[in-house]
Amino acid sequence: MSSTTLSEAYRDHPLSLHHVIPLDFNTIPTVPDSHLWPPSDDDFPSDDRLSIPVVDLMDPDAVKLIGDACETWGVFHLTGHGIPLSLLEHVEVEGRQLFSLPAEQKLKALRSPGGATGYGVAQISPFFPKYMWHEGFTIMGSPLEQAIQLWPDDHKRFCDVMDDYQKQMKMLAEKVISLIMRSLEIHEEMIRIWPEPAGTALQLNSYPSCPDPNRVMGLAPHTDSLLLTILHQSATTTGLQIFKEEVGWVLVYPIHGALVVNVGDLLHILSNARFPSVLHRAIVSQSKHRLSVAYFYGPPPDFNVTPLVKCLNSDQMTGFLSVTVKEYISIKAKNLEKALSLIRI
Ligand SMILES: C=C1C[C@]23C[C@H]1CC[C@H]2[C@@]12CCC[C@@](C)(C(=O)O1)[C@H]2[C@@H]3C(=O)O
Ligand SMILES: O=C(O)CCC(=O)C(=O)O
Ligand SMILES: [Fe+2]
C-alpha cells in the first residue's frame, strides 16, 4: 500500500485563499466590513441550562456512557482522562506566546500556498463570504520547520510541548475509540481496524477580543472531518457552541481540566450515521482573548472508510459509498458541508 501522509493529502487541495492573512487584531480599533457577519436566523437564544454530557473515563460504565453520549449528542466532556493538568497549561502558555508575537513575526510561519501547516486563516475560510475573527496555527507531526522561523534560537520548548501533547493525545484518542468500538459491540481483537500511522493534526486557535463581538464570527459552523476531535479550551472564557436539532446553539462551558471530545465525519460514516458529526462554531468575547487547542485523529489517508458491519441495519444496508480518507478530504475540500450527503447512498 502506498503511504500518503495527512499533510500530503491536504497539500493536494491548496486553499484558494492562501494569500489571505489574518488581520493584525492588536492594532485594529473597529471591525472592518470584511469581518462583519450578517445576523443569522438560527441565532435565537437556546436554553441556558442545557449542556453536553460529562463522562469520566475511569467510570466502570464508561463504555455505555460514551456510546450514549456519541449517539445522542456527538460530543461530551471527558474527565478522568489522565492528561496532566500541567501539560494542558503548558500547551496553552505556548499557544498564547505564539499568537502574541508581532503580526510580521507570525507571517514568517505563514502557511504556504500548497501547504497544510503553519500560521493562517481557518482552512474552511474560502467557503464563507466574510472573514473570521480568528487566527490559527496548524501542526502535522513536528512543528520544527515553522518554530525555527518564529524563534530562531528559542524554539525547543515550544516543539517539546507540542510533541509531548500530540503523543499523549494520540494515546487518549485511541483509548476513547476503543471504548466507542466496544459500545458498538466490536470485540477487542477486531478493534484495531486500521494500520499505523494514524492521520493526525493539531490546531491552535486564537480568538482575539473584539470591539463588536456580536457582529463577527470566531470560527464558522462546521463539522470536523476526521474520526474524533479532542479539544482543550481555555477556561478563561466561553466560545464553543454546538448545534442541537430542535434546540439551537448550545454553549459548551469549559470545565477545568476536562477535555471536549466530538465525533467527526469519518466516525459518522463508520457508525453508519448512528453517531452524528456535530455541527459547531466559536463565538468571541469583547474583553478576553480566547485560545483553544484541537487534536484531530483519523486512520491513515489510504485507509478505506466504510460503515462497520455491526452498524448495518437488519436489511444489511450500508448508508455510504466507500471512500479512502484521502478521497473524503478531497470531497470535503471542494464541497464542505455537502461532503457527507455526496457519499450517502
Ligand atoms: C486534519 C485537519 C482537520 C482540519 C483540516 C486539517 C488541519 C486543520 C483542521 C481544521 C481546524 C479548524 C476547523 C477546521 C474545519 C478547519 O478549517 O481546519 C478543521 C479541519 C477539519 O476538521 O476538516
Ligand atoms: O475553538 C473552539 O472551541 C472550536 C475549535 C474547532 O472547532 C476546531 O478547531 O475544529
Ligand atoms: Fe471543529
Side-chain angles (χ1 to χ4, degrees):
M1 184 156 76
S2 75
S3 65
T4 321
T5 65
L6 195 61
S7 65
E8 281 160 0
Y10 276 97
R11 207 150 46 213
D12 290 342
H13 307 284
L15 271 183
S16 56
L17 276 185
H18 61 258
H19 56 284
V20 173
I21 54 181
L23 270 187
D24 183 357
F25 294 100
N26 291 322
T27 59
I28 194 113
T30 54
V31 178
D33 184 57
S34 54
H35 288 67
L36 277 181
W37 287 57
S40 79
D41 41 10
D42 57 21
D43 266 347
F44 53 87
S46 75
D47 187 340
D48 228 19
R49 291 157 303 181
L50 205 62
S51 59
I52 65 169
V54 182
V55 178
D56 179 351
L57 193 57
M58 306 310 280
D59 192 306
D61 268 343
V63 168
K64 175 160 184 0
L65 294 170
I66 290 183
D68 289 351
C70 286
E71 206 165 329
T72 52
W73 286 85
V75 56
F76 55 92
H77 287 290
L78 184 67
T79 61
H81 47 64
I83 306 290
L85 265 182
S86 57
L87 183 56
L88 298 178
E89 281 160 15
H90 288 152
V91 83
E92 197 174 323
V93 167
E94 294 303 320
R96 285 188 187 276
Q97 186 188 321
L98 187 158
F99 292 114
S100 65
L101 290 170
E104 71 272 15
Q105 187 69 11
K106 288 185 277 195
L107 293 185
K108 293 184 180 160
L110 189 63
R111 201 187 298 126
S112 62
T117 58
Y119 177 71
V121 296
Q123 281 80 345
I124 53 173
S125 300
F127 290 93
F128 298 90
K130 296 290 183 165
Y131 297 125
M132 302 171 205
W133 205 258
H134 167 274
E135 51 186 337
F137 188 84
T138 311
I139 298 171
M140 291 178 183
S142 167
L144 184 63
E145 197 185 312
Q146 274 90 20
I148 286 184
Q149 306 299 318
L150 296 172
W151 305 282
D153 310 308
D154 190 20
H155 48 268
K156 188 172 182 321
R157 207 185 43 224
F158 179 88
C159 292
D160 287 349
V161 171
M162 298 303 149
D163 289 346
D164 189 17
Y165 193 78
Q166 291 185 90
K167 267 194 208 111
Q168 305 251 4
M169 284 293 136
K170 179 166 188 283
M171 287 192 284
L172 181 59
E174 286 171 348
K175 170 89 204 168
V176 173
I177 287 170
S178 83
L179 298 187
I180 290 175
M181 293 296 192
R182 279 160 60 188
S183 82
L184 296 171
E185 292 170 355
I186 289 165
H187 300 299
E188 202 70 54
E189 64 278 10
M190 293 296 291
I191 284 178
R192 279 233 60 114
I193 58 171
W194 51 84
E196 290 285 338
T200 71
L202 188 66
Q203 166 90 359
L204 310 179
N205 294 302
S206 155
Y207 308 93
S209 59
C210 176
D212 203 353
N214 297 325
R215 299 176 70 197
V216 303
M217 180 65 75
L219 193 56
H222 66 279
T223 61
D224 294 341
S225 303
L226 304 187
L227 281 175
L228 203 72
T229 305
I230 305 178
L231 183 88
H232 163 67
Q233 50 171 343
S234 123
T236 56
T237 179
T238 57
L240 176 62
Q241 295 182 324
I242 61 130
F243 192 78
K244 182 123 174 86
E245 282 310 323
E246 285 159 34
V247 175
W249 290 105
V250 177
L251 203 53
V252 178
Y253 288 93
I255 297 180
H256 184 66
L259 294 161
V260 178
V261 177
N262 71 264
V263 170
D265 296 348
L266 298 183
L267 187 51
H268 176 75
I269 300 171
L270 273 189
S271 72
N272 207 21
R274 177 150 154 188
F275 300 149
S277 180
V278 65
L279 188 70
H280 55 285
R281 69 178 185 186
I283 56 171
V284 307
S285 148
Q286 186 155 33
S287 57
K288 290 185 179 126
H289 179 190
R290 176 170 178 269
L291 201 95
S292 75
V293 182
Y295 179 80
F296 303 89
Y297 181 95
D302 296 303
F303 182 77
N304 243 311
V305 181
T306 187
L308 297 161
V309 175
K310 282 275 187 193
C311 298
L312 301 184
N313 316 337
S314 47
D315 53 5
Q316 296 294 297
M317 283 295 283
T318 160
F320 297 91
L321 297 171
S322 169
V323 285
T324 64
V325 173
K326 196 165 55 180
E327 284 162 350
Y328 186 71
I329 287 172
S330 154
I331 297 169
K332 181 108 178 212
K334 294 182 196 123
N335 303 281
L336 198 65
E337 83 283 2
K338 291 179 204 73
L340 279 175
S341 62
L342 287 172
I343 59 166
R344 209 165 275 140
I345 299 174

